[in-house]
Amino acid sequence: MTGPGHNLGSNRAPILIAGGGIGGLALALALARCGLRSIVLERQARPTAAGAGIQLGPNGVRVLEALGVANALRPCVGEPEAIEVRAGASGRLLARLPLGRWIAARHGAPYWVAHRGDLHDALLAAVAGDPLIEVHTGFEVATVAQTPARVSVADVDGHRRAGPVLVGADGLWSAVRAALTPGSAPRPAGATAARTVIPAGRAGPLAAADVGVWLTPAAHVVHYPVRRGSEVALVVIAREPQAGERAGRGWDTQADAAALGRRLAPFHHSLTEILLPGAGRSWPWREWTLYTLPPLPAWVQGRVVLLGDAAHPMLPYLAQGGAMALEDAVVLGDCLASAAGPAAALARFEALRAARARRIQAASLRQGRIYRLMPPLSWARDAALALTPGPLLMAGYDWLYGWHPPSSAAFSDAKRRGG
């Protein structure tokens, strides 16, 4: 590789990436495509993804295509034809929003639904096959230190690594962010989520090849097929004003069956008879508390930068958390490959990404409020959904799904050379 970013090239010390999730692995691949070395420092001894679904709009799928991962993941995904929005209490269909061929033609990339484990495995396989990427597991970040020339990070056992840049891609409870801005901490958002994945053969009408959204004022349910339609991923997101009193950091806690029953009680029996225990059904529900993060003064401090949930966690109402991490990864990779040095690269990254992240955070929060409307406002919402053509409703998200990865400098050249 040649160009302004050559001072970070493959003959130099590798870029450090804290976190081996979607964003961290995607960044490592983006850097490698530009000829840059990296070390992924992952806290878990054996990196795994949660047993949950993930939605990837055209903006996220385009990144996977640019990274050369899409073909490996394609056999495992679903490509739903529509989002069907229903009144939760009655099951009445309110709107059918087009996906499938409509959104692929409009944005040049499909809308995918997948199991997080399948996406993570595809990224891990691509990383394992790249000589420019090293993955160091069992490395839990404890301290961060930097000089004008480099940044170093040590784990809880005292092992230390150093490089020209450190990227905190270590999620909502980022240790890198805590080292940069000790006063910044996530706050409970007044809602909880519970998830499960069930066999399609036991899911009845929920196994249809669409994304389903069921609305009530206190909670909403989302479901869609994963793993070639053999399973159905479900999530129940409920208003829980007191969630902060028992909030924890994990998102793999066994759900309280009684609480789940209360959240699902307002929904139509065609949904609850599938989701609630009974007649030999017992699904492994896991739950977690939703959090927000007050805006950070900056994502960059010296040679350290934050990415994805570490910088701008997303509430789930637009299903954009994973896609934002993927977008961040390719933009940061392009910036590090094409800028004159780390300071310019990191400043450019934040300038390119901050406004979009804020807009999507605000839009997701607004979407959640629309989902939670009480009568009579919910009646007006339902009428608007029923009367407005689905394509017109989806066109309102062109700004979200129409995003494209960088077409500049090093990243585009690398894609042409390496696919």
Side-chain angles (χ1 to χ4, degrees), residues 247-292:
R249 293 192 174 195
W251 79 314
D252 198 30
T253 302
Q254 182 173 337
D256 179 86
L260 182 64
R262 289 193 298 272
R263 294 167 196 158
L264 289 171
F267 287 90
H268 192 257
H269 67 85
S270 63
L271 182 68
T272 57
E273 68 186 10
I274 296 169
L275 302 190
L276 291 176
R281 297 184 308 273
S282 181
W283 314 127
W285 288 92
R286 315 298 289 180
E287 69 177 4
W288 69 102
T289 299
L290 300 185
Y291 287 88
T292 60

Side-chain angles (χ1 to χ4, degrees), residues 31-417:
L31 293 171
R33 291 209 170 253
C34 299
L36 303 180
R37 296 171 57 210
S38 64
I39 299 177
V40 178
L41 304 171
E42 166 56 37
R43 178 180 59 83
Q44 296 183 82
R46 299 181 65 181
T48 57
I54 185 169
Q55 299 183 61
L56 293 168
N59 54 318
V61 174
R62 276 196 211 91
V63 175
L64 297 177
E65 292 172 343
L67 296 177
V69 176
N71 285 341
L73 183 61
R74 185 173 283 109
C76 302
V77 305
E79 199 167 327
E81 282 298 319
I83 299 173
E84 290 196 336
V85 184
R86 296 181 179 274
S90 67
R92 178 169 61 95
L93 181 64
L94 300 174
R96 183 174 169 85
L97 314 180
L99 296 176
R101 288 168 292 179
W102 183 91
I103 202 166
R106 189 173 185 89
H107 293 299
Y111 191 109
W112 281 356
V113 289
H115 193 287
R116 279 183 176 268
D118 292 337
L119 173 57
H120 196 252
D121 287 348
L123 291 168
L124 272 177
V127 162
D130 199 303
L132 294 179
I133 304 171
E134 175 188 343
V135 178
H136 187 161
T137 59
F139 192 105
E140 183 175 353
V141 172
T143 62
V144 176
Q146 57 180 316
T147 69
R150 69 172 194 166
V151 59
S152 64
V153 58
D155 71 0
V156 293
D157 297 318
H159 302 121
R160 188 172 298 274
R161 302 302 293 256
V165 170
L166 170 65
V167 181
D170 49 345
L172 176 67
W173 299 101
S174 170
V176 176
R177 185 186 66 235
L180 263 61
T181 55
S184 65
R187 299 174 182 173
T192 60
R195 70 177 191 276
T196 193
V197 178
I198 68 177
R202 305 292 302 280
L206 304 189
D210 293 312
V211 176
V213 181
W214 302 59
L215 304 178
T216 72
H220 76 277
V221 174
V222 179
H223 59 83
Y224 46 86
V226 297
R227 292 187 163 162
R228 300 186 183 183
S230 65
E231 297 177 342
V232 176
L234 296 116
V235 62
V236 180
I237 300 178
R239 186 202 307 268
E240 296 273 2
Q242 306 304 317
E245 296 177 4
R246 53 183 176 80
R249 293 192 174 195
W251 79 314
D252 198 30
T253 302
Q254 182 173 337
D256 179 86
L260 182 64
R262 289 193 298 272
R263 294 167 196 158
L264 289 171
F267 287 90
H268 192 257
H269 67 85
S270 63
L271 182 68
T272 57
E273 68 186 10
I274 296 169
L275 302 190
L276 291 176
R281 297 184 308 273
S282 181
W283 314 127
W285 288 92
R286 315 298 289 180
E287 69 177 4
W288 69 102
T289 299
L290 300 185
Y291 287 88
T292 60
L293 181 73
L296 299 172
W299 298 357
V300 176
Q301 190 178 112
R303 290 175 174 265
V304 183
V305 61
L306 302 173
L307 174 152
D309 281 353
H312 51 74
M314 298 283 161
L315 290 170
Y317 305 112
L318 284 178
Q320 282 291 308
M324 288 302 100
L326 290 169
E327 286 188 17
D328 280 357
V330 290
V331 173
L332 181 54
D334 184 69
C335 290
L336 287 167
S338 58
L346 302 188
R348 180 168 174 255
F349 166 71
E350 183 171 3
L352 288 172
R353 294 298 299 163
R356 178 166 169 84
R358 286 195 299 269
R359 183 179 184 185
I360 295 173
Q361 284 178 312
S364 186
L365 181 62
R366 184 169 59 251
Q367 187 89 333
R369 289 171 177 162
I370 292 171
Y371 283 175
R372 297 284 185 272
L373 289 174
M374 301 281 290
L377 293 178
S378 63
W379 302 338
R381 175 202 64 203
D382 293 353
L385 285 170
L387 293 172
T388 307
L392 183 59
L393 289 169
M394 286 302 290
Y397 295 100
D398 282 352
W399 65 273
L400 177 62
Y401 298 131
W403 182 91
H404 284 259
S407 58
S408 63
F411 194 73
S412 292
D413 292 341
K415 283 191 290 180
R416 285 193 291 273
R417 291 195 304 272

